[in-house]
Amino acid sequence: MATATFAVSSSLSLNHRRSLVPIQRGVSLNSRIGVPTRFSSNGFTSRIRATSAVAVEPELRTPAQDVTEAELFACPICYEPLIRKGPSGFNVPAIYRSGFKCRKCNKSYSSKNIYLDLTVTSGTKEYNESKPTGTELFRSPVVSFLYERGWRQSFNRGGFPGPDEEFKMAQEYFQVAEGGVLVDVSCGSGLFSRKFSKSGVYSRVIALDFSENMLRQCYDFIKTDESILSSNLALVRADVSRLPFFSGSVDAVHAGAALHCWPSPSNAIAEINRILRSGGVFVGTTFLRVNPSAPPILRALQQSATRTYSFFTQEEIEDLVTTCGLVNYTSKVQGGFIMFSAQKR
């Protein structure tokens, strides 16, 4: 038997974890900061109690391979911690080279080349699940390719001020979350995920979307930018109504131009409330339902789109967000554009 001493990385300092991410019930502080587990023939077994030094067999750990409890990700089926095997670090290369497994239900999750698939249906071989038309549209490789090459720019006609201004507005709301974990849900091709990551304001940024092709497109944008590729960004495929995170583990959630696309906005916002820590911030943007005085062409366009998307009034959005348990609701409106924000109690 050899003896090894395990140190917590500076980026996951005890003070940082204590101040920004509350400890989940049933999960000890030691488990949240990566206490080593004993590695068995199937790769994932019981954990070793934390001490300043623990004895492990030399072949079970090398500088390039760690077997630890994931600091953030949870099983989307039972919301229990995932055990991670692979290189340390929280960045695109390290995450997609790692394997994850639920310590409770034993389900395994792996990367699909460049993103980590944390959907409930991850790993299915025969079963295929279709989503509503609005969701399936964005899984198309053509739409994913076009999203930042004309599609998103067309939002200006609906009152959207443009990505740079939207990012600036969102950052104002997220000031209380500086230094924390930010999840960009329904991130699309990562337009805002990249901005949040490059800002250097957050300890972790997760670009999360249900569309495989959107995540591939996001990777195409970042693979030539070493400042993002090796930074604190992870690409994750997940369902917004079944988010793969511990309850109370996230400091900020962003959802740009997404609310109208969700099959069940109430389920999505309830999930966002669950993963936010107390005082955490949710910021979203969407198109407002147009009123009778809007230009005829805008009304016609929205009427044709209602077969695929759901549009709401300002009052409906506030009612939805507050009914799902969030507080301190506020919003900014410009034409048919709304940015709204609320906090976890």
Side-chain angles (χ1 to χ4, degrees):
M1 278 295 218
T3 300
T5 301
F6 294 84
V8 179
S9 128
S10 60
S11 63
L12 288 174
S13 70
L14 183 59
N15 290 333
H16 172 74
R17 300 296 294 173
R18 182 184 294 120
S19 63
L20 289 174
V21 183
I23 303 307
Q24 178 70 11
R25 284 183 189 173
V27 181
S28 69
L29 175 60
N30 290 333
S31 70
R32 291 303 300 279
I33 59 176
V35 177
T37 57
R38 189 176 294 280
F39 181 63
S40 73
S41 58
N42 66 4
F44 305 92
T45 61
S46 59
R47 81 172 29 263
I48 300 171
R49 293 284 181 183
T51 61
S52 59
V54 289
V56 298
E57 296 179 17
E59 67 271 23
L60 304 186
R61 177 183 169 95
T62 68
Q65 285 278 316
D66 287 331
V67 181
T68 59
E69 189 168 286
E71 308 91 8
L72 182 64
F73 299 128
C75 174
I77 296 175
C78 53
Y79 294 136
E80 287 293 317
L82 295 180
I83 305 301
R84 175 181 174 184
K85 178 186 176 184
S88 61
F90 196 94
N91 53 62
V92 172
I95 295 294
Y96 78 62
R97 291 191 178 103
S98 297
F100 294 80
K101 193 170 190 176
C102 179
R103 69 177 186 181
K104 182 176 182 180
C105 71
N106 216 37
K107 181 177 173 68
S108 295
Y109 299 91
S110 60
S111 299
K112 302 293 184 181
N113 298 322
I114 49 84
Y115 61 83
L116 175 62
D117 192 342
L118 292 180
T119 58
V120 170
T121 55
S122 173
T124 55
K125 296 178 175 62
E126 302 296 333
Y127 177 74
N128 185 37
E129 189 170 83
S130 295
K131 293 291 185 178
T133 304
T135 303
E136 291 297 313
L137 177 66
F138 288 100
R139 297 178 74 183
S140 160
V142 175
V143 173
S144 301
F145 179 82
L146 293 175
Y147 190 74
E148 289 188 44
R149 297 175 174 89
W151 185 295
R152 188 53 166 76
Q153 288 82 346
S154 69
F155 289 10
N156 295 346
R157 288 178 286 178
F160 277 64
D164 290 341
E165 183 60 26
E166 292 166 49
F167 173 70
K168 180 181 177 182
M169 293 166 66
Q171 286 289 74
E172 292 175 1
Y173 284 121
F174 285 143
Q175 285 181 11
V176 297
E178 290 182 1
V181 175
L182 182 144
V183 180
D184 188 16
V185 299
S186 299
C187 69
S189 54
L191 176 62
F192 289 97
S193 305
R194 303 193 305 270
K195 290 179 180 292
F196 288 128
S197 179
K198 293 197 77 166
S199 72
V201 171
Y202 308 99
S203 62
R204 301 281 189 276
V205 176
I206 296 91
L208 183 148
D209 204 281
F210 188 77
S211 168
E212 306 91 326
N213 283 304
M214 281 293 189
L215 291 169
R216 292 186 186 108
Q217 186 61 61
C218 181
Y219 181 73
D220 283 346
F221 281 124
I222 69 173
K223 66 183 180 183
T224 57
D225 190 339
E226 185 62 29
S227 66
I228 300 179
L229 192 62
S230 60
S231 69
N232 57 352
L233 176 69
L235 306 184
V236 174
R237 181 174 184 247
D239 190 332
V240 71
S241 64
R242 199 78 184 173
L243 293 169
F245 305 101
F246 297 109
S247 297
S249 63
V250 171
D251 300 277
V253 176
H254 176 261
L259 179 68
H260 56 280
C261 299
W262 292 341
S264 174
S266 58
N267 284 348
I269 294 178
E271 267 292 89
I272 289 169
N273 186 359
R274 180 186 67 80
I275 68 171
L276 281 172
R277 68 168 175 83
S278 179
V281 183
F282 169 44
V283 173
T285 62
T286 188
F287 293 95
L288 288 170
R289 183 189 300 163
V290 297
N291 56 56
S293 61
I297 188 171
L298 189 58
R299 279 183 286 149
L301 286 171
Q302 196 168 94
Q303 285 171 3
S304 65
T306 52
R307 293 190 294 268
T308 303
Y309 307 111
S310 299
F311 299 99
F312 306 97
T313 64
Q314 297 181 53
E315 294 76 17
E316 287 173 327
I317 294 172
E318 181 175 3
D319 188 31
L320 169 64
V321 171
T322 55
T323 298
C324 288
L326 297 173
V327 298
N328 299 331
Y329 179 89
T330 185
S331 65
K332 298 176 182 178
V333 175
Q334 177 178 303
F337 162 85
I338 182 171
M339 175 175 281
F340 57 92
S341 176
Q343 287 184 286
K344 174 79 168 278
R345 288 183 186 277

